[in-house]
């Protein structure tokens, strides 16, 4: 049970990192995630399966990194489309995200070969390799948790390093004060485009990992993931208060684990209060509202 909560929390924390970048760093309300997450799942599953079935030893060995990279790139491309629609056509952020999300439903179907679902039960190289990681020291479940933790640690280190670079600091400043970025001689549209691509590439990577963990890639995997990501980010902000970017990134992982634990509790013991699995999205929405209300009340008291 605990290992399952931790694994799901780590996988979906990568999705929440993308939501954090778009909503908190860029101040760009983006719904593209509901298209980039399943795009990453579809691309990652298809590429990993194709590479694992290759007769070439090198290609076969690179099945897992190829699948993860494919998911990352597919999500980034979805973000690029949103950025182009927003900047070139002057479409508002929310509408640009909705347009991309809608269009990527058909694109994801094409990636999956015209099928809405791709089962990975018989050929799931990413899950198989994750469970075999440190197999001499850990059980399959422990190895899977260690694999997810390693991916998240690498991502945390890279993102923390990135947001301490000149372009990362400028990206953070863009969400606070665009005029300051312009006065520094940086083109804001180009910087925002890179930020939106990153904010969707991370959910694409998360989608590839989620598809492997769940045993299937589906075009409907993205439904409700924006709300999930927001709830995760806000839970982390409630638990840990900090202005340091490293701590802000770390609390996203913590918030994701807390959110998954709450959802597990609702599924397992919610029947006592009459809660069914059909109520989980309502609970997510109420959790977001409660987080906003508590944070505002806390600010007023300070």
């Amino acid at each position: 049970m605990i290992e399952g909560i931790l694994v799901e929390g780590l996988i979906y924390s990568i999705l929440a990192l993308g939501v954090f970048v778009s909503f908190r760093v860029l101040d760009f309300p983006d719904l593209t995630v509901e298209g980039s997450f399943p795009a990453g799942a579809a691309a990652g599953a298809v590429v990993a399966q194709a590479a694992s079935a290759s007769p070439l030893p090198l290609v076969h060995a690179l099945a897992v990194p190829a699948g993860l990279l494919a998911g990352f790139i597919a999500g980034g491309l979805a973000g690029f489309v949103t950025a182009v629609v927003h900047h070139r056509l002057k479409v508002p952020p929310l509408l640009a995200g909705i347009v991309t999300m809608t269009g990527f439903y058909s694109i994801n179907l094409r990636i999956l070969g015209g099928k809405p679902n791709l089962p990975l039960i018989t050929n799931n190289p990413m899950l198989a390799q994750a469970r075999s990681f440190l197999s001499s020291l850990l059980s399959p479940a422990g190895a899977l948790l260690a694999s997810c933790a390693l991916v998240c640690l690498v991502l945390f280190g890279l993102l923390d390093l990135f947001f301490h670079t000149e372009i990362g600091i400028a990206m953070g400043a863009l969400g606070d004060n665009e005029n300051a970025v312009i006065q520094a001689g940086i083109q804001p549209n180009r910087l925002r485009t890179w930020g939106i691509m990153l904010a969707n590439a991370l959910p694409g990577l998360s989608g590839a990992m989620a598809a492997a963990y769940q045993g299937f890639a589906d075009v409907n995997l993205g439904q409700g993931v924006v709300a999930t990501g927001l709830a995760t980010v806000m839970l982390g902000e409630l638990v840990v208060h900090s202005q340091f970017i490293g701590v802000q990134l770390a609390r996203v992982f913590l918030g994701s684990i807390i959110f998954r634990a709450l959802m597990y509790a609702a599924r397992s013991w919610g029947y006592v209060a009459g809660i069914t699995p059909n109520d989980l999205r309502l609970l997510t929405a109420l959790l977001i509202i409660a987080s906003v209300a508590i944070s505002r009340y806390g600010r007023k008291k300070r």
Side-chain angles (χ1 to χ4, degrees):
M1 178 187 74
I2 296 178
E3 287 176 340
I5 291 173
L6 292 175
V7 169
E8 283 194 22
L10 290 174
I11 289 174
Y12 284 92
S13 66
I14 301 174
L15 159 73
L17 285 173
V19 175
F20 169 78
V21 171
S22 59
F23 281 81
R24 287 289 186 258
V25 177
L26 295 174
D27 193 21
F28 187 89
D30 187 15
L31 297 181
T32 313
V33 176
E34 298 210 359
S36 59
F37 182 79
V46 169
V47 170
Q49 278 197 340
S52 67
S54 173
L56 300 174
L58 179 60
V59 176
H60 180 83
L62 294 175
V64 174
L68 294 177
L69 181 61
F72 187 83
I73 292 174
L77 288 175
F80 177 74
V81 172
T82 296
V84 169
V85 171
H86 171 64
H87 291 134
R88 297 294 183 183
L89 303 180
K90 308 302 179 184
V91 175
L94 284 174
L95 183 56
I98 291 172
V99 169
T100 305
M101 173 186 70
T102 303
F104 259 76
Y105 184 89
S106 297
I107 294 174
N108 295 338
L109 278 172
R110 287 189 172 272
I111 295 174
L112 293 173
K115 301 174 184 177
N117 186 286
L118 176 64
L120 302 173
I121 302 219
T122 58
N123 184 10
N124 194 343
M126 281 194 271
L127 185 62
Q129 186 160 330
R131 284 179 171 165
S132 64
F133 180 62
L134 298 177
S135 57
S136 60
L137 301 174
L138 300 171
S139 65
L144 177 60
L145 175 58
S147 299
C148 293
L150 179 61
V151 173
C152 289
L153 280 173
V154 171
L155 271 179
F156 170 78
L158 291 175
L159 286 174
D160 186 47
L161 182 63
F162 170 74
F163 283 114
H164 282 89
T165 62
E166 184 177 345
I167 187 171
I169 294 171
M171 193 174 289
L174 178 64
D176 291 331
N177 190 343
E178 184 174 332
N179 289 329
V181 174
I182 295 174
Q183 291 174 2
I186 300 173
Q187 218 288 332
N189 288 353
R190 184 176 300 172
L191 185 62
R192 189 180 292 108
T193 296
W194 284 108
I196 297 171
M197 290 177 66
L198 175 63
N200 285 279
L202 291 169
L205 174 61
S206 177
M209 295 174 64
Y213 179 68
Q214 296 175 7
F216 65 91
D218 193 284
V219 292
N220 295 312
L221 277 179
Q223 291 185 355
V225 294
V226 172
T228 298
L230 280 173
T232 295
V233 172
M234 291 180 178
L235 272 174
E237 291 172 350
L238 279 179
V239 176
V240 180
H241 302 279
S242 176
Q243 297 299 318
F244 295 100
I245 186 64
V247 178
Q248 291 178 10
L249 293 172
R251 73 187 179 191
V252 173
F253 294 100
L254 177 61
S256 182
I257 293 172
I258 295 174
F259 177 79
R260 289 295 149 184
L262 291 174
M263 292 298 105
Y264 178 85
R267 289 194 302 265
S268 301
W269 300 292
Y271 65 89
V272 177
I275 298 173
T276 69
N278 297 329
D279 299 320
L280 292 181
R281 289 199 182 183
L282 175 61
L283 290 176
T284 302
L286 293 175
L287 190 60
I288 294 173
I289 294 172
S291 299
V292 172
I294 293 172
S295 63
R296 288 194 173 182
Y297 177 74
R299 283 198 297 267
K300 284 182 179 179
K301 288 197 71 175
R302 290 195 293 271

